[in-house]
């Protein structure tokens, strides 16, 4: 079983789906996918953060890298893996 790929996300403001000036700002987040006995935690992941609601949106490159790292952790058999994210 593989980790589900994230659907494409749009950095939208929290008001009726319309982006407002200053709606999304560069920031960082913590991502915690889990599957079976594995919990994978990546901290300091670059993201666009909605200034209205705080929802984080990852770009395709960061998402692909996180999925690869999570798959590697699952293959190694660990139950908990915590890493500081480093962009490739």
């Amino acid at each position: 079983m593989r980790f589900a790929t994230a659907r494409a996300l749009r950095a939208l403001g929290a008001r009726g789906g319309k982006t407002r000036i200053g709606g999304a700002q560069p920031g960082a987040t913590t991502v915690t996918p889990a599957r079976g006995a594995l919990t994978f935690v990546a901290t300091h992941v670059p993201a666009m953060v909605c200034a209205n609601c705080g929802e984080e949106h990852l770009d395709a490159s960061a998402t692909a890298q996180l999925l690869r790292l999570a798959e590697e952790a699952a293959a190694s058999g660990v139950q908990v893996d915590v890493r500081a994210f480093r962009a490739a």
Side-chain angles (χ1 to χ4, degrees):
M1 175 165 47
R2 297 182 51 84
F3 284 91
T5 57
R7 62 183 172 83
L9 296 173
R10 296 175 291 160
L12 297 177
R15 294 194 177 176
K18 297 189 189 306
T19 302
R20 298 185 324 149
I21 294 175
Q25 303 293 324
T29 189
T30 298
V31 178
T32 312
R35 180 184 75 202
L38 171 66
T39 299
F40 179 79
V41 180
T43 61
H44 309 293
V45 179
M48 293 299 289
V49 181
C50 178
N52 297 320
C53 68
E55 185 172 347
E56 302 103 351
H57 302 278
L58 306 179
D59 68 17
S61 173
T63 299
Q65 185 176 350
L66 284 170
L67 289 172
R68 182 181 54 78
L69 292 171
E71 288 294 339
E72 289 173 5
S76 74
V78 298
Q79 290 186 333
V80 177
D81 190 343
V82 180
R83 301 181 189 200
F85 185 84
R86 292 187 193 139

